Amino acid sequence: PFAQLFSRVGIRRALSGKVDMDDVKRIVCQDVEVSGDCLQYFHKIANSAGGIRMMVKLFVIAWTLASADQKPISMDIVTSAVNFLMCSAA
């Protein structure tokens, strides 16, 4: 039943500690104002077990919340995004 998924996985690699801040900035700071503490937090998430995928999910939710209020992404918004992500994962 998992043959299709299995065929898409080559070699699994953990990238923990290897995502540069410049890479995080390229993903997060395109058309959005993001505070320095948020960048540090996104960098920490990118280098955690969740990796870049979790960072991007968190960023998209934070961006959506910030855009709705026409505000820059702040740690308050990131905290709300974390809470939303954790609640919807349960």
Side-chain angles (χ1 to χ4, degrees), residues 44-66:
K44 177 182 166 188
I45 295 298
N47 285 295
S48 70
I52 293 174
R53 181 178 178 160
M54 180 60 73
M55 184 204 73
V56 169
K57 285 183 175 195
L58 183 59
F59 168 72
V60 168
I61 295 168
W63 177 81
T64 302
L65 294 172

Side-chain angles (χ1 to χ4, degrees), residues 69-87:
D69 293 336
Q70 297 180 343
K71 294 182 178 179
I73 296 176
S74 65
M75 279 308 296
D76 288 340
I77 291 174
V78 171
T79 300
S80 294
V82 168
N83 291 334
F84 178 82
L85 193 59
M86 294 305 159
C87 289

Side-chain angles (χ1 to χ4, degrees), residues 26-42:
R26 283 185 192 101
I27 294 168
V28 174
C29 297
Q30 294 180 27
D31 296 329
V32 181
E33 185 180 339
V34 181
S35 68
D37 53 343
C38 291
L39 280 175
Q40 290 296 326
Y41 186 76
F42 286 132

